[in-house]
Amino acid sequence: MNSRYKELSDKAFLLHKKNHLKEAEELYNILLQINPEDANILNLYGLLCISKGESEKAVSYLSKAVILNESAYTLSNLAKAYSVQNEYDKAVSLYKKAAELNPSCDIYYSLGIALKQQHKYDEAIEAYKTAVELNPNHYSSLYNLALLYKDTGRNQSALDTANKAFEINSNDEDILILISSLHEYFKDYEQSIKYLEAAVKINPKQSVYFYNLAVLNTKIGDKEKAAQYYKASFNLKPSEKNTALALAHLYRDMYMNEESIEVLKKYLDTTPDDNEAVSLL
């Protein structure tokens, strides 16, 4: 029975790893009928339930796994299940207990997320900082720490941390947008434009990026580039009022009245009852 049990266990794990959840679940049920106190299978089954969105079922299996084999791994998995249920008090308590057993970067990172959900921002910052101390190259911890610094008004710390994250992953759209927004806060508009343009290269379908580039170029007095970016934003989303009116006004200021009229007509095709646009036209 032992060799057969191990064979089924290995097969279930492999199916789970390949995301064949239905087949893996069938084997986990068979294995637990044979040995209902297998902490490893209970733990894996609980993780599978999380993947399927069955958080209550996950808590049940993972709680049993913790009772049979309390470890940082089983505790953090149970904490994850409680987080899915938005029971962050329980999740935080379990993550802290797991961190005492094994102070790993991943556990402190997860603790930071749970604490942030509780609006315990200072504690969340400390958790993220500990995660970074344990693994200075953990991009997600650095990014979330930078974001939380920004959200709590610590913008210089946010920029310093975001730059460290950028050194690890310079091709992530989110960090480029974050750094751009921080440079804009410090009125370093040229740097803000630089990072936002890099984000546009990664995702050229976001009309709001082009709109923000237009605003930034307006701030440094480059009307031609501003018009180009407003136009790019407008072409992606001609129903956006702010973009349409900003472009129409800018064209008028540049004595490009025909272009201004064309923009307004195109916008009014999508929103014919906009009195402000009609008046400007």
Side-chain angles (χ1 to χ4, degrees):
M1 186 180 75
N2 288 339
S3 61
R4 175 59 178 163
Y5 188 85
K6 185 179 184 309
E7 182 183 334
L8 288 173
S9 298
D10 292 343
K11 186 178 179 180
F13 177 73
L14 186 60
L15 287 166
H16 190 170
K17 189 176 180 181
K18 291 182 177 180
N19 209 35
H20 299 312
L21 301 185
K22 183 178 179 181
E23 295 91 335
E25 183 174 14
E26 289 173 357
L27 287 180
Y28 286 148
N29 277 315
I30 292 171
L31 288 162
L32 289 175
Q33 287 175 12
I34 298 170
N35 183 6
E37 294 190 348
D38 187 328
N40 183 50
I41 297 300
L42 288 164
N43 181 70
L44 290 170
Y45 199 176
L47 291 175
L48 183 146
C49 291
I50 292 175
S51 300
K52 292 179 63 181
E54 299 173 350
S55 58
E56 289 186 11
K57 197 173 177 182
V59 166
S60 175
Y61 285 114
L62 290 166
S63 296
K64 292 175 184 176
V66 167
I67 292 169
L68 291 165
N69 180 25
E70 184 175 300
S71 66
Y73 182 56
T74 55
L75 286 166
S76 59
N77 286 336
L78 179 55
K80 183 179 179 181
Y82 277 124
S83 292
V84 172
Q85 291 186 321
N86 298 324
E87 294 189 58
Y88 294 109
D89 287 340
K90 293 178 180 178
V92 165
S93 177
L94 288 163
Y95 279 131
K96 286 181 176 179
K97 194 170 183 180
E100 291 176 2
L101 295 174
N102 178 26
S104 73
C105 170
D106 288 341
I107 290 173
Y108 275 103
Y109 169 67
S110 298
L111 174 60
I113 292 173
L115 286 165
K116 183 179 179 181
Q117 291 294 331
Q118 291 184 304
H119 306 292
K120 295 179 179 178
Y121 299 129
D122 288 340
E123 289 184 51
I125 284 171
E126 290 304 314
Y128 286 137
K129 284 171 67 176
T130 302
V132 172
E133 288 171 6
L134 291 166
N135 183 0
N137 293 319
H138 194 255
Y139 174 80
S140 295
S141 292
L142 284 165
Y143 172 74
N144 280 278
L145 177 57
L147 197 61
L148 195 48
Y149 274 141
K150 180 177 182 288
D151 291 344
T152 54
R154 288 168 261 196
N155 290 294
Q156 187 58 58
S157 295
L159 183 56
D160 293 340
T161 306
N163 283 329
K164 291 177 183 177
F166 176 78
E167 290 174 7
I168 297 167
N169 185 1
S170 60
N171 293 314
D172 184 81
E173 181 183 343
D174 291 333
I175 198 65
L176 292 167
I177 295 301
L178 177 58
I179 294 175
S180 175
S181 69
L182 289 163
H183 279 299
E184 183 179 7
Y185 171 83
F186 289 113
K187 295 182 170 54
D188 189 352
Y189 299 127
E190 291 186 358
Q191 282 293 98
S192 183
I193 288 168
K194 170 187 168 183
Y195 284 98
L196 189 48
E197 285 179 336
V200 164
K201 289 180 181 178
I202 295 171
N203 185 359
K205 299 297 183 182
Q206 280 282 3
S207 63
V208 68
Y209 293 172
F210 290 106
Y211 179 87
N212 290 338
L213 278 168
V215 172
L216 289 166
N217 276 281
T218 300
K219 288 179 178 180
I220 63 172
D222 194 334
K223 289 186 177 181
E224 288 188 5
K225 272 197 172 180
Q228 291 173 14
Y229 283 126
Y230 275 135
K231 184 178 179 181
S233 179
F234 180 70
N235 287 339
L236 285 169
K237 199 171 182 181
S239 62
E240 181 58 49
K241 176 176 181 174
N242 289 339
T243 306
L245 293 184
L247 180 55
H249 278 293
L250 185 56
Y251 275 150
R252 189 182 66 171
D253 292 344
M254 296 168 70
Y255 304 103
M256 298 171 65
N257 291 325
E258 289 184 8
E259 288 84 351
S260 182
I261 290 169
E262 183 183 343
V263 167
L264 289 166
K265 285 182 175 179
K266 190 174 180 180
Y267 167 66
L268 285 167
D269 285 341
T270 68
T271 317
D273 297 326
D274 191 315
N275 292 331
E276 187 177 356
V278 170
S279 177
L280 181 58
L281 179 61

